[in-house]
Amino acid sequence: MSGLAAQGVTVHVATTDDDGPDSRLPVPLGIGMADSGGLCFYFPRQTSFYTFSWPLFTWLRQHIREYDLVHIHALFSYPSTVAALIARSAGVPYLLRPLGTLAKWGLTTRRPLLKSWSLALIERRLMRGAAAVQATSEQERQEVLDVCRSCRVVVIPNPVEVPVDPIVRPARERMTTILFLSRIDPKKGLEILLSAFDQAAMNNPGLKLVIAGDGAPTYVASIRTLAASLANRDKIRFVGNVEGGAKSALFAEADLFVLPSYSENFGVAVVEAMAHSVPVLISANVGIHCEVTGADAGRTAECAVTPLTQMILEMLGNPGSLVRMGNNGRRLAFER
């Protein structure tokens, strides 16, 4: 939003106060609030499932003709559906950004039958009617075409703020610190990483794992319980959500960034790590994995404990290769 505002574009965001199944954002409702150079309008949800909001529908119907373009984020939700339908009815062009919702993992593990019906009845029509469908990687572009061959797809990577100044990383005799930094969610493969770390630490006693991020309280609690059950639990550190200088400090102390996601349409945290000259180890489900391996900025591993363990040990056992990949990653983050 700030980037568009800097180009002289007026940007308004219309959304709900939804903040997870059992939570709502503590924000004023129905009035524009200044944020990042634009205005945000929040409306109350009536249901957690599908995020139904009649006030949002009413506002969109009253105001959508005031805009030149509507940028819709995600699928399989009420706000996205009504925004597209109202824009189409009013003759206002809209861009549709799936936001990873068309990845195979999500389509087959989270309400698969309901999503197949919804795709047939709603989402394909919305994608065909869009001025363009925005994918954030070549992998996501293919995911879109797999479900909607006739829609127009453009690839526009996510914008990521990266440090402009050269990264000065402390010299180390041994590479020992693994960083996981992302939303703590079942799709991130954190259970696999914890088990792989525990096995790797048996062969590398100095190994440490830092877990940064937050998520649904019940799931975060289950991850902490799993970590506490491991033999090398004392080498695992949870730091919660981090921003700004605290995030940069974590990247500075990390020797390897690991994200073994089952589904990731782009991978903002991966780009952030590369921008800080940290080599990355990701799954082939991360949208930019081909670009990462093609630039020799990191490696991929299956979403399974044994191959992930082996790759962690292989990468950390070659400090010169890690430095090279870190430099390549920073170059890739800036060039692409």
Side-chain angles (χ1 to χ4, degrees):
M1 188 154 65
S2 59
L4 287 172
Q7 297 296 317
V9 179
T10 299
V11 185
H12 293 170
V13 175
T15 186
T16 72
D17 62 350
D18 181 80
D19 193 28
D22 303 312
S23 183
R24 293 172 182 259
L25 295 170
V27 292
L29 301 175
I31 60 174
M33 298 177 58
D35 187 358
S36 303
L39 292 178
C40 288
F41 295 84
Y42 294 91
F43 301 92
R45 70 171 193 212
Q46 271 76 59
T47 63
S48 295
F49 176 72
Y50 207 51
T51 325
F52 175 80
S53 173
W54 183 256
L56 173 62
F57 170 83
T58 302
W59 187 91
L60 288 170
R61 190 174 57 180
Q62 292 173 347
H63 295 281
I64 209 160
R65 287 183 176 85
E66 300 169 11
Y67 300 94
D68 300 302
L69 179 68
V70 179
H71 195 187
I72 299 169
H73 297 252
L75 294 169
F76 304 112
S77 73
Y78 179 82
S80 303
T81 300
V82 296
L85 292 175
I86 294 172
R88 191 170 182 176
S89 176
V92 179
Y94 63 91
L95 292 175
L96 199 54
R97 179 187 174 211
L99 200 62
T101 54
L102 297 178
K104 183 178 180 180
W105 183 83
L107 291 177
T108 57
T109 62
R110 294 182 170 177
R111 301 190 179 97
L113 183 59
L114 183 59
K115 285 183 177 178
S116 67
W117 290 345
S118 188
L119 270 173
L121 297 173
I122 300 173
E123 273 70 29
R124 283 195 184 94
R125 296 183 183 184
L126 300 185
M127 288 189 282
R128 292 190 189 107
V133 177
Q134 179 205 341
T136 55
S137 63
E138 287 295 333
Q139 180 166 295
E140 188 178 27
R141 175 179 177 274
Q142 188 57 54
E143 291 169 352
V144 174
L145 292 175
D146 285 344
V147 300
C148 185
R149 180 61 58 180
S150 59
C151 64
R152 179 180 178 232
V153 189
V154 296
V155 177
I156 305 174
N158 282 332
V160 180
E161 291 189 14
V162 296
V164 177
D165 296 331
I167 302 299
V168 179
R169 298 178 57 78
R172 297 182 179 90
E173 292 184 6
R174 299 183 64 189
M175 306 297 194
T176 60
T177 302
I178 297 172
L179 174 64
F180 170 95
L181 190 153
S182 189
R183 180 166 53 92
I184 296 181
D185 182 89
K187 79 171 188 175
K188 303 293 183 176
L190 195 45
E191 291 94 342
I192 295 172
L193 174 57
L194 283 168
S195 297
F197 167 79
D198 197 41
Q199 291 190 14
M202 301 292 186
N203 296 283
N204 188 339
L207 208 57
K208 297 178 292 184
L209 173 63
V210 178
I211 298 175
D214 208 350
T218 53
Y219 182 68
V220 173
S222 72
I223 288 295
R224 285 180 172 270
T225 299
L226 173 60
S229 71
L230 300 175
N232 292 283
R233 55 186 172 273
D234 58 326
K235 300 175 182 178
I236 302 171
R237 178 162 58 104
F238 288 85
V239 298
N241 189 51
V242 291
E243 298 291 343
K247 181 188 288 189
S248 295
L250 288 182
F251 284 127
E253 73 177 60
D255 297 306
L256 179 64
F257 177 87
V258 183
L259 185 65
S261 284
Y262 293 106
S263 175
E264 205 78 42
N265 63 299
F266 181 69
V268 169
V270 178
V271 178
E272 290 178 324
M274 292 191 301
H276 286 82
S277 300
V278 183
V280 300
L281 171 56
I282 57 180
S283 73
N285 303 311
V286 175
I288 58 172
H289 75 95
C290 287
E291 289 82 352
V292 169
T293 55
D296 190 28
R299 298 287 183 264
T300 62
E302 296 177 43
C303 291
V305 174
T306 298
L308 189 63
T309 303
Q310 292 172 344
M311 188 56 71
I312 287 173
L313 291 172
E314 178 182 323
M315 294 181 74
L316 290 177
N318 192 336
S321 177
L322 285 182
V323 172
R324 184 188 71 249
M325 286 188 281
N327 292 334
N328 291 341
R330 180 165 168 83
R331 188 159 49 247
L332 176 64
F334 275 85
E335 290 177 354
R336 295 295 300 272

